[in-house]
Amino acid sequence: DVKVTQSSRYLVKRTGEKVFLECVQDMDHENMFWYRQDPGLGLRLIYFSYDVKMKEKGDIPEGYSVSREKKERFSLILESASTNQTSMYLCATRAVYVVGTGDHEQYFGPGTRLTVT
Amino acid sequence: RKEVEQDPGPFNVPEGATVAFNCTYSNSASQSFFWYRQDCRKEPKLLMSVYSSGNEDGRFTAQLNRASQYISLLIRDSKLSDSATYLCVVNGWSGGYNKLIFGAGTRLAVHP
């Protein structure tokens, strides 16, 4: 049974603070993703990583950075939190995609609801 | 134009009803298609994959129309426990990497 955990369910931070959101998975998946989810906008990809120390920008990377020093751990960093970063943040993992063999299920963590005041 | 578009709903239906959701996608090169389910304040979870020939899982039937670039989900004999948001998902390519693209979801509320 895949387990994806996130460091906090709820977090309240002040504008300008540096915020760390951590995600840990126990399935030895190569691929890890960070999304934010906002009403009416759905899931938007912030950053993803296809292997240790690799990172790629998603659709909305501005104001965020990531770190993947170990395969099981993928961290999202808000360098200087702003109120427009108040959102639900979801981490996900997936086994490597191989062309022609079909896609794999993506597993999500429980989410972190971040409020920036 | 969004890459994956869905009617946000809500669809309010009585128990036992049949309800259908559609979703359209813009990238004709997409190869994999899914429906995910998200309960209130929970994470999304895979409901079912969608195959070209159509597929069924109990009360749920998924269809894919590649020519028109739309995907459908049919739920028969709705249960109260089916109340959730249903996310249409397609795969896509960005900078040589494969990723899933999520629709904003269709909310279903089943009432007694």
Side-chain angles (χ1 to χ4, degrees):
Chain A
D1 198 23
V2 175
K3 195 165 184 184
V4 184
T5 58
Q6 294 184 227
S7 47
S8 307
R9 291 301 303 273
Y10 299 94
L11 209 52
V12 179
K13 294 291 182 181
R14 293 191 182 278
T15 302
E17 279 192 85
K18 191 168 186 175
V19 182
F20 293 87
L21 302 181
E22 295 236 295
C23 174
V24 179
Q25 51 109 350
D26 66 357
M27 279 300 294
D28 202 35
H29 284 170
E30 291 81 3
N31 303 342
M32 297 189 76
F33 307 85
W34 274 107
Y35 297 87
R36 64 178 283 177
Q37 187 174 31
D38 301 286
L41 298 177
L43 283 157
R44 293 182 291 167
L45 183 62
I46 304 171
Y47 266 95
F48 56 101
S49 169
Y50 281 88
D51 208 342
V52 177
K53 297 196 185 293
M54 287 180 59
K55 57 185 178 183
E56 293 291 330
K57 292 180 179 178
D59 301 314
I60 51 165
E62 297 78 20
Y64 303 94
S65 62
V66 290
S67 171
R68 192 156 179 211
E69 296 297 316
K70 294 184 178 181
K71 191 174 187 180
E72 67 271 17
R73 191 180 296 268
F74 191 33
S75 302
L76 180 70
I77 303 149
L78 286 65
E79 297 290 343
S80 177
S82 63
T83 53
N84 63 10
Q85 292 178 309
T86 292
S87 186
M88 168 68 85
Y89 289 88
L90 287 155
C91 173
T93 77
R94 186 165 59 120
V96 67
Y97 177 81
V98 179
V99 176
T101 64
D103 220 326
H104 295 284
E105 180 175 354
Q106 191 157 298
Y107 296 89
F108 286 86
T112 296
R113 186 165 291 281
L114 173 67
T115 302
V116 183
T117 60
Chain B
R1 183 187 171 190
K2 290 182 183 176
E3 292 182 85
V4 179
E5 296 212 56
Q6 298 181 246
D7 181 342
F11 285 64
N12 293 300
V13 303
E15 272 185 294
T18 294
V19 62
F21 310 136
N22 290 328
C23 142
T24 58
Y25 61 95
S26 61
N27 188 346
S28 60
S30 293
Q31 294 295 315
S32 302
F33 309 89
F34 310 90
W35 284 100
Y36 276 67
R37 171 194 166 126
Q38 186 172 22
D39 294 317
C40 188
R41 299 187 185 281
K42 298 280 191 179
E43 71 273 23
K45 292 184 180 178
L46 179 66
L47 176 66
M48 60 196 300
S49 300
V50 186
Y51 303 118
S52 296
S53 54
N55 50 300
E56 193 173 302
D57 183 3
R59 298 181 292 108
F60 298 82
T61 300
Q63 296 276 356
L64 168 64
N65 184 319
R66 285 188 186 271
S68 302
Q69 293 179 210
Y70 82 76
I71 306 153
S72 64
L73 177 68
L74 181 80
I75 306 175
R76 290 181 299 278
D77 189 23
S78 298
K79 311 289 185 193
L80 294 176
S81 58
D82 294 335
S83 298
T85 298
Y86 292 84
L87 308 177
C88 176
V89 185
V90 308
N91 79 334
W93 294 89
S94 174
Y97 295 99
N98 183 266
K99 62 175 185 176
L100 297 183
I101 303 163
F102 289 78
T106 298
R107 195 152 63 89
L108 171 66
V110 182
H111 57 83

